Amino acid sequence: MGLSLRGVVALLQHKCSRKIRGEAVNLVVAHGVDMLCQRQGGAAAPPQLLQLPGIVNPAAQQAQEFIQTAHRFSFLRQGLKRRPDGISRPAFWCDWDELGCSHQMHRPVPGPAGLPHRNAAGQAQAVRPKVVASGKTQVALAADRNDTGKAFREQVRTELVPLCEQLYAAQAKRIGVDTLMFYDEKRVFPDGNAVPAGDDDFMVEEARKMYHKISPETGEFIDFMIEHELMDLKNKPGKAATGYMTFLPDYRAPFVFSNFNQTIFDMQVLTHELGHAFAGYMAMREQPITEYYSESTDIAEIHSMSMEQFSYPYAEAFFGKYADKFRFAHLQEAITFVPFGVAVDEFQHICYANPELTPKERTAEWKKLEEKYMPWRKYDVDDFFDRGGFWYHKLHIYLYPFYYINYTLTTMGAMEFKKKNYENHETAWQDYLNLCKCGGSMSYLETLRYANLSNPFEPGSVARAMEVAKQELMNSPFMR
């Protein structure tokens, strides 16, 4: 950008609007490493930049902290392209420096090669990734170099696929069908799945009690969320049909948005989304800069999925006599999702390595993956799905290439926390707190080591992580 320290200082000292002043501060944050590490040799920031008069944007303090300690975070310039743990990001991830080092900013790329897109004139056209001299796409070359997921997917195939087959065979018997169709997979019990024991306010109050019992930290957290009205959970006309957790960094506050619907989904909001929120709450009180408040996507879901597991002992308060049904159905869904997740990952590798595939051929490839990872799935009543058309509904394939495996990797982290909690709750909870507090300050493998979690790519990791969950499911009275 040709940005210099002198230019930024002049811009900030100029009597400009608060908006422009704030944008200048963001530039300082985004390019602090460039300015210091490249132009100042890692020296401390000049005093005039740290003592600017009249800065009202709260980000100024974060910018100062960032620049003062930039020499310690030099990996932000190169490590975000080639991370300290040695696992490179695929080529489709954008240059993080140029986009301001924001983990949420990435270049959207087309889905599998040849899928129809619209040009500026609204005309349908096929968009294909750039092909290099080797005949492969740039994305495919990066995928080849980084397909560390291959060994993990094989563990899922050998360890989890047989377990899922047993679970679905028992489910077919339980609900009284000879063949379990794909539309039966969510129908876990013949008399219906568990439902909450009270209304929306009841669920929030029980969540408050639960978090006070789990730990002093979660008790403080839930009181903060309720007192400051940081949860918009009730359904109402015109409200967006979505759910998420986000940050209000100026206030060091998480915010949760969702729509209660009187199903087990409500409990998942109070544990999954609040698991994200608790991680953000802790990181915002431990980490010195905003960039570290949020962790990378290959870590983030460990917080939320693990909180779901930590909540299991309190299910009676939310579901009464149906608590066992909730725990069984919830755990089964968490496990049976993993084969589908790795199938999505392998499908993308196939598509980007073979951009010449026609839509019909891609659909045939998905059918092969279903037979490999989901041999129980039946679509006889729907010819399109039976040919392999189920993948079309998964937006991640179009919008976020190679992202989806993160959900399966984080499931392993959550199942490992479940195992650790079974063996020693105090140790498990301390490791979980450490995970939440470190935010995004470490690389993927560094974060796992800091929280005493296994590397899911190592041989045998899936079997070890799944040990307690597998026993819990297979020993359940619902499997008889």
Side-chain angles (χ1 to χ4, degrees):
M1 291 183 60
L3 185 68
S4 68
L5 281 174
R6 181 175 297 178
V8 173
V9 172
L11 179 58
L12 287 171
Q13 289 179 325
H14 183 67
K15 292 183 179 180
C16 55
S17 69
R18 178 173 180 173
K19 178 180 179 181
I20 295 176
R21 192 183 293 266
E23 291 175 351
V25 170
N26 289 337
L27 286 175
V28 174
V29 175
H31 294 277
V33 172
D34 277 329
M35 291 187 290
L36 284 180
C37 296
Q38 285 195 335
R39 303 188 179 111
Q40 302 294 322
Q48 67 267 32
L49 185 60
L50 302 181
Q51 300 174 6
L52 297 172
I55 296 294
V56 294
N57 192 318
Q61 179 62 35
Q62 295 161 4
Q64 293 167 14
E65 293 171 350
F66 185 93
I67 293 174
Q68 285 176 313
T69 58
H71 66 282
R72 292 197 294 116
F73 308 130
S74 59
F75 72 87
L76 281 176
R77 174 155 184 79
Q78 295 182 354
L80 290 176
K81 299 181 220 175
R82 185 177 62 258
R83 301 192 309 187
D85 54 30
I87 300 179
S88 301
R89 286 293 191 187
F92 55 80
W93 291 104
C94 65
D95 187 323
W96 290 43
D97 307 332
E98 295 174 359
L99 289 183
C101 298
S102 172
H103 78 287
Q104 295 178 348
M105 303 175 75
H106 54 273
R107 181 181 298 119
V109 295
L115 290 179
H117 291 258
R118 297 281 174 179
N119 60 19
Q123 299 169 325
Q125 60 181 8
V127 179
R128 293 182 180 274
K130 181 179 179 181
V131 178
V132 295
S134 67
K136 288 192 173 184
T137 66
Q138 290 176 323
V139 175
L141 287 173
D144 286 346
R145 289 194 301 270
N146 295 280
D147 193 8
T148 50
K150 186 179 296 183
F152 173 71
R153 294 196 301 267
E154 181 59 18
Q155 289 188 70
V156 171
R157 188 187 70 80
T158 58
E159 293 291 338
L160 292 191
V161 170
L163 172 61
C164 293
E165 287 187 285
Q166 290 178 278
L167 291 171
Y168 281 127
Q171 182 172 329
K173 181 179 179 180
R174 189 184 315 123
I175 65 175
V177 297
D178 294 328
T179 301
L180 192 77
M181 306 300 290
F182 80 98
Y183 48 74
D184 292 320
E185 291 178 12
K186 299 295 184 182
R187 187 185 171 209
V188 183
F189 304 101
D191 56 344
N193 298 337
V195 294
D199 60 14
D200 298 349
D201 293 332
F202 167 86
M203 295 294 282
V204 172
E205 175 59 19
E206 291 304 318
R208 186 191 67 79
K209 295 176 184 176
M210 177 186 73
Y211 281 115
H212 272 276
K213 292 176 182 177
I214 289 177
S215 76
E217 295 87 357
T218 49
E220 174 188 298
F221 155 73
I222 194 64
D223 287 345
F224 179 83
M225 297 293 288
I226 294 175
E227 178 183 352
H228 296 287
E229 300 182 0
L230 293 167
M231 298 183 292
D232 184 356
L233 305 178
K234 293 185 177 182
N235 207 339
K236 54 189 175 185
K239 188 176 179 182
T242 185
Y244 58 84
M245 169 266 175
T246 190
F247 293 99
L248 302 174
D250 292 355
Y251 302 97
R252 294 194 300 168
F255 183 85
V256 172
F257 180 97
S258 191
N259 291 274
F260 276 180
N261 60 8
Q262 290 75 54
T263 69
I264 63 173
F265 170 79
D266 298 353
M267 180 61 170
Q268 290 175 239
V269 169
L270 292 170
T271 53
H272 186 100
E273 298 303 337
L274 286 183
H276 284 306
F278 177 69
Y281 180 85
M282 298 303 294
M284 284 187 282
R285 282 150 182 77
E286 293 288 331
Q287 296 303 320
I289 57 174
T290 310
E291 280 68 24
Y292 286 174
Y293 288 175
S294 183
E295 59 290 324
S296 60
T297 55
D298 40 19
I299 289 292
E301 297 299 327
I302 301 179
H303 305 122
S304 53
M305 294 178 177
S306 298
M307 187 63 84
E308 294 176 35
Q309 298 302 316
F310 281 121
S311 74
Y312 272 23
Y314 308 96
E316 277 77 8
F318 296 89
F319 295 99
K321 63 181 181 179
Y322 301 116
D324 286 338
K325 293 176 68 175
F326 162 75
R327 282 185 285 253
F328 180 86
H330 181 271
L331 185 57
Q332 174 173 298
E333 182 173 1
I335 302 309
T336 54
F337 161 78
V338 176
F340 171 76
V342 298
V344 169
D345 181 63
E346 186 167 334
F347 179 69
Q348 292 176 93
H349 280 279
I350 293 171
C351 288
Y352 282 105
N354 302 277
E356 73 284 353
L357 291 177
T358 66
K360 184 177 181 179
E361 289 170 335
R362 285 195 300 269
T363 299
E365 290 295 334
W366 176 260
K367 181 64 176 179
K368 294 176 187 176
L369 292 174
E370 284 194 332
E371 293 170 351
K372 178 180 180 179
Y373 292 111
M374 294 166 280
W376 59 82
R377 182 157 285 184
K378 304 297 180 184
Y379 300 110
D380 294 343
V381 297
D382 192 317
D383 186 55
F384 174 70
F385 282 171
D386 194 46
R387 291 197 307 269
F390 191 79
W391 72 269
Y392 280 89
H393 88 285
K394 185 48 62 182
L395 290 178
H396 295 71
I397 296 174
Y398 302 86
L399 301 177
Y400 314 113
F402 302 108
Y403 175 94
Y404 211 67
I405 195 173
N406 287 341
Y407 293 120
T408 65
L409 298 176
T410 52
T411 298
M412 296 303 106
M415 293 302 110
E416 190 168 357
F417 267 122
K418 181 181 185 68
K419 178 182 178 182
K420 290 156 69 79
N421 192 49
Y422 176 80
E423 295 169 346
N424 187 311
H425 172 73
E426 288 72 23
T427 300
W429 184 253
Q430 187 57 54
D431 287 341
Y432 180 74
L433 280 181
N434 290 340
L435 177 73
C436 294
K437 289 178 180 179
C438 76
S441 64
M442 302 179 187
S443 71
Y444 175 62
L445 294 181
E446 287 173 334
T447 303
L448 292 180
R449 286 192 290 268
Y450 187 66
N452 291 314
L453 292 174
S454 302
N455 178 353
F457 298 109
E458 293 179 348
S461 61
V462 172
R464 290 191 298 271
M466 287 298 306
E467 184 179 347
V468 169
K470 182 178 180 179
Q471 291 176 359
E472 187 172 314
L473 286 169
M474 297 307 295
N475 294 333
S476 169
F478 297 119
M479 291 295 291
R480 297 170 192 161

